[in-house]
Amino acid sequence: MESVLRAVRWLALAALLACAHALPPPGPPMEAPAELTELQGSHPAYYYQLAAELFKAGRKDDALFTFYLGQLRYRTLLLAHPDAPKDRDPAVFATLSERIGRPLNEYASADVANWVRTIDGVLAYDRDHPDKFISPAEYPEQSAQTRKGLAAFRDKLLEDPERVQKIRHANGLENRN
């Protein structure tokens, strides 16, 4: 009987510790920057350009939102046109994601709750303002697949936010949350 009680105590302690390290609720989805209305119907590369400009201007959360919306839409474009020449949109996507995305992801990963709020905002905005360049009505499977991928990434962040913080700490980077 005592061994059962000891096991129950350990399980209770483990559950308590797990809850103590869980991410607090991230809050309401991030709002979209006003400049996005100007990009309706534009190639997704323009989202990356705007994200870089916003980041340089110190509007980092707006830049992050714009980047993830651009990435979501660019991924849909690539899925919709899998036979595109590799030296065109696929190469541009990879280059922009590295050059513009790297500092934005470094910024995002310092505050996982804010990162999740941003992704939630992007998914809501994309749902409420369908892309006019690569229409979800014309490419429903590709659109659904990219949205599902971004939602899965968000869920992975929510599952283990400490992992992101540990990686940042190991790399000498500051955590904001």
Side-chain angles (χ1 to χ4, degrees):
M1 181 67 162
E2 189 172 321
S3 62
V4 172
L5 287 173
R6 190 175 320 139
V8 169
R9 281 189 211 118
W10 278 109
L11 286 173
L13 179 60
L16 181 63
L17 290 173
C19 291
H21 296 290
L23 185 68
M30 188 73 65
E31 293 291 323
E35 292 89 345
L36 287 179
T37 58
E38 299 168 16
L39 293 180
Q40 284 294 336
S42 297
H43 188 282
Y46 289 106
Y47 291 82
Y48 283 74
Q49 180 182 0
L50 177 59
E53 292 168 5
L54 293 169
F55 194 74
K56 186 176 180 183
R59 294 176 55 198
K60 295 180 178 182
D61 288 336
D62 288 341
L64 188 63
F65 189 105
T66 303
F67 166 72
Y68 271 96
L69 182 61
Q71 187 177 71
L72 179 71
R73 292 181 173 186
Y74 219 137
R75 287 181 186 278
T76 302
L77 173 67
L78 295 174
L79 283 174
H81 301 288
D83 297 330
K86 300 296 179 209
D87 64 342
R88 297 215 177 117
D89 271 319
V92 172
F93 172 76
T95 300
L96 291 174
S97 293
E98 174 62 26
R99 297 201 71 214
I100 295 170
R102 181 181 291 267
L104 283 163
N105 280 320
E106 186 176 303
Y107 168 77
S109 65
D111 184 343
V112 176
N114 192 60
W115 202 358
V116 168
R117 288 182 59 230
T118 300
I119 292 170
D120 286 341
V122 165
L123 289 168
Y125 182 90
D126 184 64
R127 179 195 64 229
D128 297 341
H129 302 87
D131 191 3
K132 293 180 181 176
F133 185 80
I134 190 80
S135 170
E138 190 175 345
Y139 298 98
E141 291 174 24
Q142 294 85 349
S143 179
Q145 184 176 341
T146 54
R147 288 180 55 80
K148 186 176 180 180
L150 186 56
F153 176 66
R154 177 209 52 217
D155 294 347
K156 188 170 179 88
L157 290 173
L158 287 169
E159 283 174 17
D160 192 6
E162 272 195 353
R163 180 177 171 269
V164 174
Q165 293 175 337
K166 287 177 185 174
I167 291 170
R168 286 183 60 83
H169 182 73
N171 290 319
L173 299 170
E174 177 185 330
N175 289 301
R176 290 192 315 270
N177 60 346

